[in-house]
């Protein structure tokens, strides 16, 4: 029974453990419980019971990989219809393998059902707990306790009063999956793109890292509302005291852009609640904007292309130049699994890539496409004085152990291009100086 309930359903992850990270914590116990239940059920019932255990196993792996708290993960199941899981060959292969191993385990349980009373429950439980302990030791699952609060907005003292007093527009970009590079040379591949925009004296560039908690909507709670949280915190009908609301009360135009469906995480409901006067999603741009229609980017999360939405954001910043604006742009295309960029500027597919790990190189190449689009916005001669803050939402959720070593755990990078020009209104206080690199 140890081989049937412990080795067989866990063998794929055990063999992959030296090369891939899949935090499973209590998953091995699911199969022991499934085997116990199957013994008291008709033979045919063993198959759906073990398939259910496999689905719970995969759900737990995904929950930890994408930084989803338990409550968020359960509620996220309601949005599965918007996700094209079949677009990822890796995901399809993993699901088929896990379901196949679950069916094999069920068949073995039925085949040796007469031997079940002879098995030692203590030995089976000990073996399963040993797999749990091995997973905890090797994969170092994320701590459940939240770190002390931190954010790029907080580090740079970008309060509503200071933003409004600066007279500058503010473009705030949250980048999907942009973690904190461990190697300064890797980080420089992005920062040097923005550094070029400082040469004429129009901008000053500062950068650093900040802690994070949760998934992408956790980044919105962190940066826009000043606390750890998620989209579930903003589902009430009352307004919430967040940065966009404070800015709108000071007369700024507050706008948001995102290239995915407005229904995902019910953003169309809670964005107005935190103060966005206008929110533009895939449905809006696909219907109303000549470009970026018909382009689509991404893989499982296929939406509009971030680099083309940047052009729409640029137009929004230039419209009505006498009105100060806060524009929030949430990117999409670097969501894991990703679709590599058509332009391999970093030579990821060559014998001399800028980053030796192919996955990290591909992602950095995609991020560099976005940063170049931001640089185009920054150098637009018709752009009113605009401060540009770029920050990652959460640590890059990578499966490969070798790829994960390229990022610092628990941190995301941020970059601030602060305009040196006079704003649309005379500043009543000097601009806050950005925090230096940490």
């Amino acid at each position: 029974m140890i081989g049937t309930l412990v080795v067989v359903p866990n063998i794929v992850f055990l063999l992959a453990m030296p090369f891939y990270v899949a935090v499973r914590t209590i998953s091995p116990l699911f199969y022991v419980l499934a085997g116990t239940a199957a013994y008291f059920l008709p033979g045919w019932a063993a198959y759906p019971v073990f398939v259910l255990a496999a689905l719970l196993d995969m759900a737990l792996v995904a929950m930890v990989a994408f930084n989803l708290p338990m409550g968020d993960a359960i509620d996220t199941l309601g949005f599965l219809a918007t996700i094209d899981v079949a677009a990822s060959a890796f995901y399809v292969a993993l699901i088929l393998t896990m379901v196949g191993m679950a069916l094999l385990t069920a068949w073995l349980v039925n085949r040796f059902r007469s031997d079940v009373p002879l098995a030692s429950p203590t030995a089976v439980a000990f073996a399963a707990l040993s797999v749990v302990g091995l997973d905890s030791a090797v994969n170092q699952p994320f701590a459940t306790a939240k770190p002390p609060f931190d954010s790029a907005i907080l580090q740079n003292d970008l309060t509503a009063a200071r933003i409004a007093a600066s007279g500058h527009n503010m473009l705030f970009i949250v980048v999907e999956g942009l973690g904190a590079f461990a190697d300064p040379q890797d980080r420089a591949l992005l920062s040097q793109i923005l550094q070029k925009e400082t040469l004429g004296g129009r901008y000053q560039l500062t950068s650093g890292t900040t802690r994070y908690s949760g998934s992408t909507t956790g980044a919105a709670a962190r940066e826009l509302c000043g606390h750890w949280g998620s989209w579930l915190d903003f589902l009430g009908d009352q307004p919430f005291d967040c940065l966009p609301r404070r800015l709108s009360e000071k007369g700024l135009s507050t706008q948001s852009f995102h290239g995915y469906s407005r229904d995902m995480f019910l953003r169309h409901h809670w964005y107005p609640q935190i103060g966005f006067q206008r929110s533009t999603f895939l449905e809006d741009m696909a219907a109303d904007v000549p470009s970026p229609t018909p382009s689509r980017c991404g893989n499982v999360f296929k939406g509009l292309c971030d680099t083309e939405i940047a052009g729409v954001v640029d137009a929004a910043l230039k419209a009505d130049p006498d009105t100060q604006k806060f524009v929030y742009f949430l990117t999409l295309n670097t969501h894991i699994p990703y679709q590599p960029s058509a332009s391999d500027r970093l030579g990821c597919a060559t014998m001399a890539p800028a980053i030796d790990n192919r996955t990290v190189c591909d992602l950095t190449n995609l991020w560099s496409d976005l940063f170049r689009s931001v640089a185009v916005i920054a150098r637009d001669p018709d752009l009113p004085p605009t401060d540009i803050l770029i920050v990652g939402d959460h640590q890059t959720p990578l499966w490969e152990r070798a790829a994960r070593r390229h990022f610092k755990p628990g941190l995301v990078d941020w970059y601030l291009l602060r305009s040196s020009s006079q704003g649309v209104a005379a500043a009543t206080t000097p601009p806050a100086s950005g925090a230096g690199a940490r």
Side-chain angles (χ1 to χ4, degrees), residues 76-301:
T76 299
L77 295 175
F79 303 108
L80 287 179
T82 69
I83 303 171
D84 184 13
V85 177
S88 169
F90 174 79
Y91 281 10
V92 171
L94 178 62
I95 292 171
L96 291 177
T97 299
M98 292 300 296
V99 170
M101 297 305 292
L103 295 174
L104 173 61
T105 304
W107 180 83
L108 289 172
V109 166
N110 285 333
R111 173 70 175 78
F112 299 103
R113 183 177 288 264
S114 60
D115 296 334
V116 171
L118 304 177
S120 168
T122 302
V124 173
F126 179 79
L129 289 173
S130 297
V131 176
V132 171
L134 178 64
D135 179 83
S136 298
V138 174
N139 290 329
Q140 299 176 349
F142 293 105
T144 55
K146 291 183 174 65
F149 182 76
D150 197 8
S151 74
I153 290 284
L154 180 64
Q155 287 186 33
N156 289 286
D157 198 21
L158 292 170
T159 63
R162 286 184 176 272
I163 294 172
S166 74
H168 295 178
N169 292 336
M170 183 169 184
L171 170 57
F172 184 31
I173 305 173
V174 172
V175 182
E176 170 60 45
L178 177 61
F181 284 103
D183 189 337
Q185 293 184 346
D186 293 349
R187 196 175 198 267
L189 294 171
L190 300 182
S191 62
Q192 66 189 6
I193 298 172
L194 302 178
Q195 188 65 44
K196 293 177 181 178
E197 303 311 312
T198 69
L199 298 179
R202 188 176 180 184
Y203 295 96
Q204 294 177 331
L205 175 65
T206 53
S207 63
T209 62
T210 182
R211 292 182 287 269
Y212 76 91
S213 177
S215 60
T216 301
T217 64
R222 179 188 80 220
E223 298 290 347
L224 300 179
C225 299
H227 63 80
W228 300 133
S230 75
W231 63 284
L232 297 174
D233 298 336
F234 308 114
L235 293 184
D237 292 329
Q238 75 277 15
F240 293 90
D241 183 24
C242 296
L243 182 61
R245 181 161 301 283
R246 293 176 183 175
L247 289 171
S248 66
E249 291 171 352
K250 292 182 178 295
L252 276 74
S253 170
T254 55
Q255 306 174 38
S256 73
F257 294 86
H258 184 44
Y260 204 61
S261 172
R262 66 181 66 167
D263 294 326
M264 189 67 183
F265 297 124
L266 303 180
R267 287 187 173 98
H268 68 285
H269 172 79
W270 58 270
Y271 271 22
Q273 301 301 96
I274 66 173
F276 285 115
Q277 298 162 335
R278 180 182 178 187
S279 295
T280 306
F281 298 101
L282 180 153
E283 296 89 345
D284 308 298
M285 284 182 275
D288 301 334
V289 181
S291 176
T293 57
S295 300
R296 296 291 187 273
C297 293
N299 187 280
V300 169
F301 290 86

Side-chain angles (χ1 to χ4, degrees), residues 165-168 384-386 419-428:
S166 74
H168 295 178
T386 300
S419 175
S420 304
S421 304
Q422 181 66 38
V424 297
T428 58

